[in-house]
């Protein structure tokens, strides 16, 4: 992960909670593109991670998309910082990882994209490094050049009589704007109807939790903000991680308001259901929901959405 080409595809993820591991990081970042590697440096005394990770993508544009959408997002209750990883100055062909010296962390861990170095620092660097930095800025533009962030929405969950907590999702409106906007509006109720008070009527452990039928609460109802049904937008995003947010349907071009959240990767649904989001906080709540499901999908307790909306 230390070649100049790899660094343009590698993002730094900081502010990680103790509960986060490599699998969680990969699940959170894989929707933006194919990942080559995930590294979480350990503290050798405690054997716990040091609160940050590096994610290397196949493509530089995927790294840029991850930065645009995940920077300042919430993961396990913590706001994470996502920037382009910038190396310390080392010899060519060195295998030393970029995080091997605390000096690098002090200088770059919290650095914000788009902040240019002063003339003195630039003069000390080689011409090759200057070209690399210029290319990196073009790949991952700074805040002033970035497109609007994808929205984040939340669902507050009650199981039986117990309020269990909140799940937060990022909606991939950069890929599926129509589908994402439908879900966002149903969370905010700005069209006069939506998910508040509705149930997760079907929960199958090891598979998914389905909800969104706010008219009948049994899987036979619901409606979109565009009418009863609307067409499949595209199948670009995949069911590749736990917490994937996808549209439930009864066939081709039959999207309404019903959706499901996966408990594990469900690749056999790719090309059949439109993926439009991913859980970024509340994976523990999703696991609690899973415990109240059954092989038939019938829930042992009433699982309801008590409140929902958009995080702004």
């Amino acid at each position: 992960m230390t070649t100049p080409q790899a660094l343009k595809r590698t993002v730094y993820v900081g502010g990680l909670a103790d509960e986060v591991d490599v699998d969680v990081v990969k699940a959170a970042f894989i929707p933006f593109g194919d990942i080559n590697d995930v590294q979480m440096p350990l503290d050798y005394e405690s054997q716990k991670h040091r609160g940050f990770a590096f994610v290397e993508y196949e493509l530089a544009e995927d790294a840029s998309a991850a930065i645009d959408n995940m920077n300042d997002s919430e993961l396990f209750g913590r706001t994470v910082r996502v920037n382009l990883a910038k190396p310390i100055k080392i010899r060519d062909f060195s295998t030393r990882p970029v995080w091997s010296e605390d000096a690098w962390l002090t200088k770059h861990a919290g650095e914000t994209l788009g902040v240019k170095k002063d003339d003195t620092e630039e003069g000390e660097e080689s011409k090759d490094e200057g070209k690399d930095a210029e290319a990196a800025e073009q790949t991952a533009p700074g805040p002033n050049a970035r497109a609007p962030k994808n929205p984040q929405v939340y669902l507050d969950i009650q199981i039986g009589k117990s309020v269990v907590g909140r799940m937060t999702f990022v909606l991939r409106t950069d890929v599926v704007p129509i589908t994402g906007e439908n879900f966002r509006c149903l969370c905010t109720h700005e069209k006069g109807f939506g998910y508040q008070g509705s149930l997760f009527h079907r929960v199958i452990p090891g598979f998914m939790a389905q909800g969104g039928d706010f008219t009948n609460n049994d899987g036979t109802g619901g409606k979109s903000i565009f009418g009863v049904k609307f067409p499949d937008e595209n199948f670009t995003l995949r069911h590749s991680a736990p917490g994937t947010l996808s549209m439930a349907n009864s066939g081709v071009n039959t999207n309404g308001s019903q959706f499901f959240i996966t408990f594990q990767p469900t690749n056999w649904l790719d090309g059949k259901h439109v993926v439009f989001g991913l859980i970024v906080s509340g994976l523990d709540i999703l696991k609690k929901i899973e415990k109240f499901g059954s092989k038939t999908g019938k829930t042992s307790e009433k699982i309801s959405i008590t409140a929902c909306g958009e995080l702004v």
Side-chain angles (χ1 to χ4, degrees), residues 178-212:
I178 294 173
T179 311
E181 177 65 4
N182 179 64
F183 192 83
R184 187 193 69 79
C185 289
L186 292 174
C187 286
T188 63
H189 281 241
E190 60 194 68
K191 303 296 183 180
F193 52 90
Y195 294 133
Q196 185 169 334
S198 66
L199 305 179
F200 279 93
H201 62 273
R202 184 170 175 242
V203 178
I204 301 176
F207 181 24
M208 60 88 214
Q210 183 175 341

Side-chain angles (χ1 to χ4, degrees), residues 1-305:
M1 295 177 71
T2 55
T3 66
Q5 292 79 15
L7 288 166
K8 298 173 189 176
R9 306 189 307 265
T10 304
V11 298
Y12 161 87
V13 186
L16 298 176
D18 292 340
E19 299 89 342
V20 175
D21 57 19
V22 169
D23 291 336
V24 171
V25 173
K26 188 171 184 179
F29 283 82
I30 201 168
F32 304 102
D34 292 331
I35 291 175
N36 286 339
D37 190 22
V38 176
Q39 292 187 12
M40 294 188 73
L42 297 178
D43 181 289
Y44 295 107
E45 292 184 0
S46 66
Q47 287 301 302
K48 295 181 179 180
H49 70 73
R50 301 176 65 185
F52 62 91
F54 294 97
V55 181
E56 181 187 332
Y57 284 95
E58 285 277 358
L59 302 174
E61 52 264 37
D62 294 338
S64 179
I67 293 167
D68 285 346
N69 291 290
M70 293 299 290
N71 188 38
D72 291 332
S73 64
E74 187 175 306
L75 191 63
F76 273 77
R78 298 275 295 274
T79 299
V80 296
R81 297 288 301 279
V82 183
N83 295 328
L84 191 69
K86 296 182 180 180
I88 57 176
K89 188 175 180 180
I90 54 179
R91 295 188 303 271
D92 290 341
F93 310 113
S94 171
T95 58
R96 188 197 313 174
V98 296
W99 45 265
S100 61
E101 293 188 7
D102 287 339
W104 182 91
L105 296 173
T106 301
K107 185 173 182 180
H108 295 295
E111 185 170 340
T112 303
L113 286 174
V115 178
K116 295 185 177 180
K117 299 176 183 178
D118 61 39
D119 294 338
T120 302
E121 291 177 329
E122 288 178 353
E124 294 174 350
E125 295 185 344
S126 68
K127 293 181 180 180
D128 289 339
E129 288 178 303
K131 291 179 181 178
D132 289 341
E134 182 180 355
E137 286 184 3
Q138 292 173 354
T139 302
N144 293 334
R146 280 162 57 178
K149 283 187 177 182
N150 287 333
Q152 290 193 28
V153 296
Y154 66 88
L155 304 177
D156 288 343
I157 305 301
Q158 180 172 317
I159 299 177
K161 296 182 179 179
S162 301
V163 175
V164 294
R166 170 174 292 186
M167 296 186 292
T168 304
F169 302 86
V170 60
L171 304 181
R172 292 298 305 277
T173 53
D174 57 325
V175 179
V176 278
I178 294 173
T179 311
E181 177 65 4
N182 179 64
F183 192 83
R184 187 193 69 79
C185 289
L186 292 174
C187 286
T188 63
H189 281 241
E190 60 194 68
K191 303 296 183 180
F193 52 90
Y195 294 133
Q196 185 169 334
S198 66
L199 305 179
F200 279 93
H201 62 273
R202 184 170 175 242
V203 178
I204 301 176
F207 181 24
M208 60 88 214
Q210 183 175 341
D213 178 2
F214 51 81
T215 58
N216 298 336
N217 281 314
D218 61 4
T220 63
K223 62 179 180 178
S224 78
I225 64 171
F226 310 109
V228 177
K229 304 291 181 184
F230 67 97
D232 298 321
E233 191 167 4
N234 63 59
F235 299 108
T236 301
L237 301 174
R238 297 171 296 177
H239 301 78
S240 56
T244 295
L245 188 58
S246 185
M247 291 300 294
N249 61 44
S250 55
V252 178
N253 297 325
T254 58
N255 301 286
S257 60
Q258 291 190 46
F259 62 91
F260 62 92
I261 310 167
T262 63
F263 297 131
Q264 62 183 21
T266 54
N267 297 328
W268 64 90
L269 298 179
D270 293 346
K272 299 176 182 178
H273 295 264
V274 178
V275 174
F276 63 94
L278 181 74
I279 194 168
V280 293
S281 178
L283 193 60
D284 56 327
I285 306 303
L286 184 62
K287 290 179 180 179
K288 289 180 181 179
I289 292 174
E290 184 177 15
K291 293 179 180 179
F292 290 88
S294 66
K295 291 182 179 180
T296 64
K298 184 177 180 180
T299 60
S300 56
E301 290 282 355
K302 182 179 178 181
I303 305 172
S304 58
I305 299 173

